[in-house]
Structure formats: C-alpha cells, structure tokens
Amino acid sequence: QVLAGNTPTPNEIPAGPPGQLYQAIAGTSMSSPHTAGASALIKAAHPDWTPGQIKSAQMTSSVQDVVNADGSPAGIWDRGAGSLRVDRAVKPTVTFDVTGAAYTASVADPLHRVDLNLPSIKVDPLPGAIQVTRTLTNVSGKAQTFTASATADAGLGITVSPNRFRVPAGGSATITVVLDGLKATDGDTLTGQITLKPSAGGASPVVL
C-alpha cells in the first residue's frame, strides 16, 4: 500500500472511493512513479551514471527482510528484487551496467540473453546446469573485499566464483555464477539469492 494522490472522481470501484484526493493504493501504477522518482534522485546525485547503473543501484541495495500482509516472510515472487530504500540506492556499494545496444541485440539472441549484465539472473528453462558471468563496479568510494554467499530452493545449487575477491575503489570485477538444477524435479520453478558482503563499514550488502 502506497499513499499517493488520486482522482476524487473515480470511474470504477477498484480506483477507490470518491471524494478523496489521497488514497492508499497497491500495484504497479503506484510502484512505477515512485521508482521513477527514486531514479531521478539517483541521477541528480550521479549525473554520469547510465540507466543500467541506476536500476542496479535500486535493486542491489534493496532490503530483503520483507513480510506479507499476513505477517509471513515474503518470497521472491512477493518482494521482487526487494524493498526499495532511496537512501541506500543513492550510495550503493556496486553497480552493474548494461547498454541499450546489448538489450537490442539480445532480442535476436535469446540463447545468450542470460549473459546480459543485469543484477539478476533468470534461466528458463534451466538446461541441467549453466554458467553465467556478471561484472560489477565498486562505487562505494572505498576498496572492498567481497564475500559471496548464496541461498536457494531445494534442488538448485548456486556457486559463485571467486567467492572472495577484492575490488579497489572505482574498479571492476567479474564473477562467475553456476546454477545447477541437476537434482531438481522436472517442472520445478526454483529461486535463489546471491549476497556479496562488503568488508568496509557503512557499505550495504549487494543482493542479486
């Protein structure tokens, strides 16, 4: 539920009761403008950042400790990349970048779309096991030693290599991720999460 301005003369019941200038509403119609506003703040703080970096800053610095309306822990299908925190997104630990040209090229090359340098990984279907790479840039202003850890549903193995690596301030590093679904049952939809914990104090963990 997001408190936001809304028309006082709705033309349908889902739009809320009439006569109110502000209402609590849920859905992409609310999350989209709030994310756009957050992006504008990040762009103002980092004018030279690309759209890919801005998007990754919001995703990788998000908060994962999210609960559903009934109080149960939120899964990946409930929370997406996580709960956006603008104060963290303005000063993320790392960014991932992917160009518009790479997006365009991926339309004609769906087999290798998994290698787009996004701060997330989706493989559908998973052909037993697959190896992908991601390149990150340290924007924390400090040298960082990252320690990688991963959690996943039963039947999915996630291996990050190297699982501990150092990146100087402003430097970049490439990690390899192996997704192993050889023990999964046919038809399973499996999810997982990778966390890169930085060594320097004050830096947010990086979640993929």
Side-chain angles (χ1 to χ4, degrees):
Q1 297 290 334
V2 177
L3 183 64
N6 196 46
T7 175
T9 56
N11 58 8
E12 56 181 2
I13 292 176
Q20 298 182 7
L21 296 176
Y22 295 89
Q23 298 180 27
I25 305 174
T28 54
S29 59
M30 287 293 98
S31 61
S32 177
H34 281 73
T35 302
S39 299
L41 290 173
I42 298 170
K43 184 66 173 179
H46 306 281
D48 58 332
W49 280 10
T50 67
Q53 287 182 285
I54 293 171
K55 178 179 179 179
S56 78
Q58 296 181 63
M59 294 175 66
T60 61
S61 66
S62 63
V63 175
Q64 305 300 303
D65 187 15
V66 183
V67 296
N68 294 314
D70 61 3
S72 61
I76 190 171
W77 301 117
D78 304 303
R79 68 174 187 263
S83 182
L84 172 60
R85 296 291 186 271
V86 179
D87 58 336
R88 291 161 62 113
V90 168
K91 51 177 184 179
T93 306
V94 307
T95 61
F96 295 80
D97 194 17
V98 57
T99 65
Y103 271 117
T104 301
S106 73
V107 174
D109 188 15
L111 181 63
H112 295 99
R113 195 173 296 159
V114 293
D115 287 316
L116 282 175
N117 199 44
L118 299 169
S120 61
I121 303 169
K122 179 183 178 181
V123 184
D124 183 20
L126 176 62
I130 194 170
Q131 175 178 297
V132 300
T133 60
R134 292 293 185 270
T135 299
L136 57 89
T137 299
N138 177 5
V139 295
S140 69
K142 304 175 183 178
Q144 299 284 358
T145 297
F146 292 96
T147 302
S149 61
T151 58
D153 293 338
L156 176 65
I158 302 177
T159 304
V160 181
S161 180
N163 62 3
R164 185 175 173 84
F165 56 97
R166 186 178 185 278
V167 187
S172 298
T174 298
I175 58 174
T176 297
V177 179
V178 175
L179 304 177
D180 182 351
L182 294 173
K183 295 182 180 180
T185 301
D186 188 30
D188 280 351
T189 298
L190 303 174
T191 63
Q193 177 177 298
I194 297 169
T195 302
L196 305 177
K197 185 178 180 180
S199 58
S204 302
V206 180
V207 293
L208 291 86

